[in-house]
Amino acid sequence: MRLALALLALIVVARAEETVPSEADFSNAVLSVVKTYPTDGTHKYYWPKGDDWPGTTCDVEYQGAKACEADPEGRCYCCGLTFEVFVKAWKAWCEAKKLPFAIPGIQGEAIIDLRSDWFGSTGDKKTLIQHAIVSRGLGRAITRIEDARPGDFVQLWRNNGTGHSVIFLEWKKGGDGKLKALRYWSTQKSTDGIGEREERLSGEDGIDPAQVYIVRVGRK
């Protein structure tokens, strides 16, 4: 009886692992998706503050539900773009594994609830992506910012109160070995839309290190 229960437990764990990518696999999928976007201003940055515009370059559909509708001009803003990349990366991983496109615990229109948390439209107004992913058991929070890895999702806040939703690429360090700047991929005015950018961790307009919320999608 004990042997049968142990075998059953192993089967359950194996099946769970089949439906959730490893952290490394998902990060690689994210970085591969990122490379498919043009960085020549094709998808310009646009943010109509206070509007319900989703800010995605394409329709984001999942199991018959439309989570986001493409902007007719191909414009985007940060939360919309990172959410779009997340869904595309999960779909790409499923296709590579020859699995049905399914995110565990999310069925049909529940993808819209995920989007709402990702955008901060619900109760959590600070961690956003981290809350959306961790609360659904789809990844883990990275509490030490120096432990961030390429392909992690980040919600950052600056000392002036503004924020940004980005995909982590690397930390830039000074001669003393301390973190000086964050290099990331997202969409912003300074890059005329989608592109890579560096922001420093100092100054009135710099990133507040205490408000850098990192999440790594996948199973450890």
Side-chain angles (χ1 to χ4, degrees):
M1 183 66 174
R2 288 181 179 177
L3 178 59
L5 289 174
L7 289 173
L8 179 59
L10 288 172
I11 291 170
V12 170
V13 170
R15 287 180 176 173
E17 289 184 349
E18 286 177 356
T19 60
V20 178
S22 68
E23 292 177 345
D25 281 352
F26 196 78
S27 292
N28 287 336
V30 167
L31 295 173
S32 293
V33 169
V34 161
K35 291 177 182 177
T36 67
Y37 288 86
T39 56
D40 59 358
T42 297
H43 299 296
K44 296 191 179 298
Y45 174 83
Y46 176 63
W47 184 39
K49 189 175 181 179
D51 199 300
D52 60 359
W53 179 68
T56 54
T57 69
C58 63
D59 290 349
V60 177
E61 298 180 331
Y62 175 77
Q63 295 184 346
K66 183 179 284 188
C68 302
E69 189 167 337
D71 179 68
E73 298 179 34
R75 299 170 300 179
C76 55
Y77 78 104
C78 60
C79 292
L81 183 62
T82 54
F83 177 73
E84 179 181 321
V85 169
F86 166 79
V87 176
K88 283 185 174 182
W90 203 292
K91 184 177 182 180
W93 177 80
C94 288
E95 290 174 347
K97 294 292 184 180
K98 295 181 171 54
L99 296 170
F101 178 29
I103 303 170
I106 300 177
Q107 297 182 347
E109 292 189 353
I111 193 71
I112 298 172
D113 295 329
L114 174 62
R115 189 199 88 171
S116 295
D117 283 346
W118 194 287
F119 285 31
S121 303
T122 51
D124 187 280
K125 302 295 184 183
K126 277 291 181 180
T127 68
L128 307 189
I129 305 175
Q130 192 182 89
H131 167 72
I133 293 298
V134 174
S135 66
R136 290 169 173 82
L138 300 174
R140 63 189 174 106
I142 304 301
T143 55
R144 287 169 23 108
I145 62 174
E146 57 266 40
D147 292 337
R149 296 178 189 166
D152 288 345
F153 290 87
V154 180
Q155 173 64 44
L156 63 86
W157 298 96
R158 304 181 182 94
N159 293 317
N160 62 11
T162 61
H164 206 10
S165 179
V166 308
I167 293 171
F168 179 85
L169 295 178
E170 67 173 328
W171 286 114
K172 293 290 187 177
K173 298 180 179 180
D176 56 3
K178 293 182 179 179
L179 304 182
K180 295 297 182 183
L182 168 58
R183 188 167 74 89
Y184 58 72
W185 179 95
S186 189
T187 179
Q188 47 275 321
K189 288 181 180 179
S190 61
T191 54
D192 193 27
I194 297 173
E196 297 181 9
R197 187 187 181 206
E198 282 185 23
E199 284 198 57
R200 65 187 187 281
L201 296 179
S202 60
E204 293 182 2
D205 297 331
I207 297 170
D208 177 3
Q211 296 191 85
V212 176
Y213 301 103
I214 304 164
V215 64
R216 188 167 299 150
V217 179
R219 55 183 171 80
K220 191 173 180 182

